[in-house]
Amino acid sequence: VRHAVTRHIGAAAAFGLFAVLWSFPLVTDLAGQIPGDGPGDNLQFLWNFWWMRKALAGGLDVYYTSFMFAPVGSPLTLHTLTALPAFVAATVLAKLPVVAAMNVMILVSLFLNGFCAYLLA
């Protein structure tokens, strides 16, 4: 049992290192970098993280916004909202700036994708 736990800890450390290396140089400035080759979906995901904070702080409906298609607003049910990572960033990582919270969630997601695949295999 102890050997299995040690092996899993080693694998977790390896996948943590892979996440950092895969996204490098993101870890050098979490609050000042938005990953990507320029403006695109990356800014849309940043908006998602910002919106989740705004909605939760103001008691607004997370799945509807008046900040798009003004003045009528828009439902976000078919929008690529990434609600779970944005919710974690808005609650657990609330003390971080929005950009840093998004980047931490990217790193955590990279780690969890690899480590969970390892555990399943």
Side-chain angles (χ1 to χ4, degrees):
V1 174
R2 190 172 208 189
H3 175 64
V5 170
T6 305
R7 182 183 57 197
H8 293 321
I9 290 172
F15 283 109
L17 179 63
F18 291 155
V20 169
L21 292 175
W22 187 276
S23 62
F24 196 80
L26 185 63
V27 296
T28 61
D29 185 15
L30 287 174
Q33 294 187 47
I34 300 173
D37 289 334
D41 287 345
N42 52 357
L43 296 182
Q44 177 62 51
F45 289 112
L46 181 61
W47 185 90
N48 294 342
F49 278 68
W50 169 84
W51 171 246
M52 184 64 73
R53 282 191 181 189
K54 177 96 172 147
L56 292 177
L60 304 171
D61 182 0
V62 172
Y63 294 102
Y64 181 84
T65 182
S66 60
F67 287 83
M68 293 184 347
F69 301 111
V72 294
S74 177
L76 299 176
T77 51
L78 298 177
H79 177 76
T80 311
L81 188 58
T82 58
L84 181 59
F87 179 79
V88 171
T91 56
V92 177
L93 304 174
K95 294 191 180 202
L96 294 176
V98 176
V99 173
M102 183 183 76
N103 288 337
V104 167
M105 289 307 301
I106 289 171
L107 290 169
V108 168
S109 296
L110 284 170
F111 163 75
L112 286 175
N113 275 292
F115 188 60
C116 289
Y118 159 81
L119 289 175
L120 286 171

